[in-house]
Amino acid sequence: MTPCLAEDDLLELARGRALGAGSPAEAHLADCPACSALLAALLDGPGEGDRWGALVGKTLGPYRLEAQIGAGGMGAVYRAWDDRLRRNVAVKVLPPHAAGTAEQAHRLANEARAAAAIAHPSVVTIYDVGRDGDVAYVVQELVEGESLRSVLGRGALPPARALRIGLELARGLAAAHAQGVVHRDLKPENILLGEDGTPKILDFGLAKLAADGDPDITEPGTVQGTAGYMSPEQARGEPVDARCDLFALGAILYELHTGRRAFDGASHAERLSAVLRDTPAMDDAGALAPILLRCLDKDPRRRFQSAADLAWTLEGLLEARAPAPRAAGASRRGVLAGLGAAAAGAAGFGLARFLDRRAGPPRVPKFRQLTFRHGRVMDARFAPDGGSLLYGAAWEAEPLTAFILRLDGGAARPLDVPPADVLAVSSRGEVALCLGRRHVEAQSVRGRLAVAPIDGGAPRALVDDVQDADFTPDGRELAIVRPGGRGFRLELPADRVLYETDGWITHARVSPDGGRVAFLLHPETNDDRGDVVVVERATGKARALTTDWDSAAGLAWDPRGDSLWLTAARVGANSAVHIVGMDRELRMVAQNTERLRLHDIAADRRLAVSVDTWRLRTVVGLPGAPIGAERDRSMSDFSLVADISADGATLLVGEFGDVDAARGAYLRPIEGGAPLRVGVGRPIALSPAGDRVAAILPGETPPLIIHLTASAEHPAMNLGPIASVSSGRWIDEERLVVTAAAAGREPRLWLLTLGTPPPVPLTDEGDFGRCELDGERRRLAFIGREGRLSVIDVGDGATRVLPGSYPGHVVCGWLANPESIAVRTRTTPLVLRRVDPATGAASPYLEIAPPPLGLRAVDSLVIRRDGSLFAYSYGQELSQLYLVTL
């Protein structure tokens, strides 16, 4: 018999897609009362203009529906507020015309029971099921993110990410199958990717509960599932088991890896025939090909026999992928200012554990708090004898100071040196200091490198603009990290380049034998995602020991020199302590509910660790207002302002923390009122009319998404070769200027237009900077190569370079009365100047001093054209130093 039509095909028919005369679908509709009834219900439902948000504002039980976030053949999904538990949830609703059928109501209840039986991070959590009048609904966790189908619409994923998603889905299915639940309709539309990258399996409405004897919802001989993903046995109407889910996962994994559907066709019948007949081409599947072929075998007996086996195989393939460091000239990854280091959670060491190399019960590390003042610890190192700890800290409103603390008792004593941080301590009893250390660029803090005796003496200045340094074992040379070329370079000794990259190098550490240098390699200075890289001193050959950390800060060699200790997190920012061997074997050593940062390891393996709490705060201020009068407009503990509306009433902010707000782009009224979440990503620009928001999707393809503020639509924009975007401004409702880079190339300014027009470069490669448009949006200004302030005519592309130079500055707006370009320093306090766009004459305008306590850097600043108000986001880190004994 002809199989029943899939829900998405019925939806297409309801939206007006014509059937071919004499098509199998037409014949099936004539003979199938169930499909005909469902199509009729869809046609009788709300009109296209009314469908979006039809129930917004209504209440179902205790749930207030706030916005519609999805729709399908089974009904609609709403973001809702649970007034009892004070939390946001997702409510899946069967509208009255569909909920009245016994089969649909049963399917909805079945979905709830099936998913509620599974506890796994990759399966959506079900909270409740109910009925309000003639409307049935299921309540589940609200997953902020987008569907896998939406992600696949942008093309294939990077191989490692595709494998990781497939692995997590396999683990989720294994958890479901262990509860006797078979999904039977797994497809990209039924998978959401959360903002942390975790896939979530939805829609267990077709699941078969084998464990409790519940009768199957499918009549004998009928077909349920989605053509192109359902297994051959499903397509033939035969009995199925858990192996049908493995077939579907194979089809999804194929699509993730190649960007093509495994079984495609113009119609339901063609896709079904492809499942029964074809074997997908594996030319570009690489090492994944044997796994895919086994998943997609027509005979379930020749597939993987369990999801656990498939997960084990995918995990082995993922670990076998030899990581390689990003060499000099490698392309920059997507930018997300500081998001690799969001604020940590509540204090406590209850989760700390030490895992010994041998099997056995875990040991609990002993934590001894060493500092107690309010402020921020920068860096710390053990003295050569291990009896003292030297560290740099900025307490309260005091300047950064170098201290020494005896670990056998006594108070910390400041070293007799100018304001400085401690970078390294040598075996010869000298300390490497960073004098006048300050934030220069995003998270990069730099100053003058100097050396002084630990027991006192004037520092001897060596090199300017140094970020990190470490002594060789004999104490005679220093490895240093400082800017160079398009990014950063590692030198050993000074002026001999050992490694260079267009990314950002931190935490350079020389091995105990002096033959290698390890460091953390990040995309750039406002992104602490990273890899652990080791470079051979003799040859300059570099290799990555471990990669793809979402946040990495803290690195030290084991005293034996056979491994490295690091603090990093795969997801989020609550870093744990890990050990990675030269053979790339990785294991976790200690975990905590807060962010741990490793500073140093003593010869007896005691650790110097800080516990850090980091916030990014958005504040609004008025020029001339007294200090402390600024108003905090953060909605979470990680809030980044991107733009200000034309009328000065609304801020565009990105909220990425864990307090009160779901992550994403928000329109935030300055004077109070409800904020509006417009979608995912880091926002960069609000259009003049306030109708469109441009947001960055770091690491995604394409890296930019356009949100409409009045609906959930996403207008298309042709990005051409652009692989990463860092900032931008709307010219009008159709055109956008962005700072962006093609893969493997340097950034430049580009003009983008909604629709299909290709991007147009406005500057040469390497000539770029944050740009701002004048009041009439006819000219844009930016500070580019060599600190030159340039003005581009948007109409004809003509560029004028104004007199003067502004290294270390960024354009932050255009001001009126008189018309001028506002430029600011990157370092704090922020010094703003007005620059005449006609003559280039500059004059002082404003100074902004963020609160000094725990101050990191100002990440962004926007200013209203009439100068009546400004808003900026600055980082604040508070930390305490601990001695950890394992």
Side-chain angles (χ1 to χ4, degrees), residues 53-69 77-93 128 132 137-140 142 660 674-675:
L55 296 179
V56 170
K58 298 186 181 299
T59 299
L60 297 179
Y63 309 106
R64 185 176 70 253
L65 308 187
E66 295 180 338
Q68 186 171 341
I69 56 177
V77 182
Y78 291 82
R79 184 178 69 243
W81 177 253
D82 182 348
D83 204 41
R84 298 171 304 174
L85 299 179
R86 311 295 295 173
R87 64 180 176 183
N88 285 308
V89 296
V91 176
K92 184 170 185 178
V93 175
D128 192 11
D132 192 323
Y137 60 88
V138 166
V139 183
Q140 60 193 37
L142 179 64
D660 295 337

Side-chain angles (χ1 to χ4, degrees), residues 772-787:
E772 295 285 352
L773 288 145
D774 66 7
E776 296 182 346
R777 299 185 180 262
R778 295 179 179 176
R779 295 168 294 172
L780 63 88
F782 73 99
I783 296 173
R785 186 179 288 147
E786 299 175 354

Side-chain angles (χ1 to χ4, degrees), residues 388-471:
S388 301
L389 197 65
L390 292 92
Y391 64 93
W395 301 127
E396 286 82 33
E398 298 174 3
L400 178 61
T401 302
F403 293 90
I404 183 168
L405 173 68
R406 287 292 306 174
L407 297 176
D408 56 4
R413 172 178 61 85
L415 296 181
D416 188 17
V417 297
D421 190 18
V422 174
L423 297 183
V425 178
S426 79
S427 58
R428 298 160 58 91
E430 291 183 315
V431 55
L433 301 170
C434 188
L435 303 177
R437 196 172 202 192
R438 69 208 183 279
H439 278 91
V440 175
E441 180 184 356
Q443 297 183 53
S444 177
V445 286
R446 305 200 286 270
R448 173 174 291 184
L449 176 65
V451 173
I454 292 178
D455 53 5
R460 184 176 77 256
L462 299 178
V463 183
D464 285 331
D465 207 24
V466 169
Q467 176 187 269
D468 294 286
D470 194 32
F471 284 105

Side-chain angles (χ1 to χ4, degrees), residues 693-719:
V693 167
I696 298 170
L697 300 173
E700 301 284 347
T701 303
L704 186 72
I705 188 171
I706 306 301
H707 299 291
L708 298 185
T709 59
S711 75
E713 297 178 20
H714 303 291
M717 180 174 278
N718 180 6
L719 296 184

Side-chain angles (χ1 to χ4, degrees), residues 248-265:
L249 181 52
I252 293 169
L253 189 55
Y254 180 90
E255 196 169 346
L256 287 169
H257 191 77
T258 66
R260 306 186 305 272
R261 296 198 186 206
F263 305 101
D264 205 0

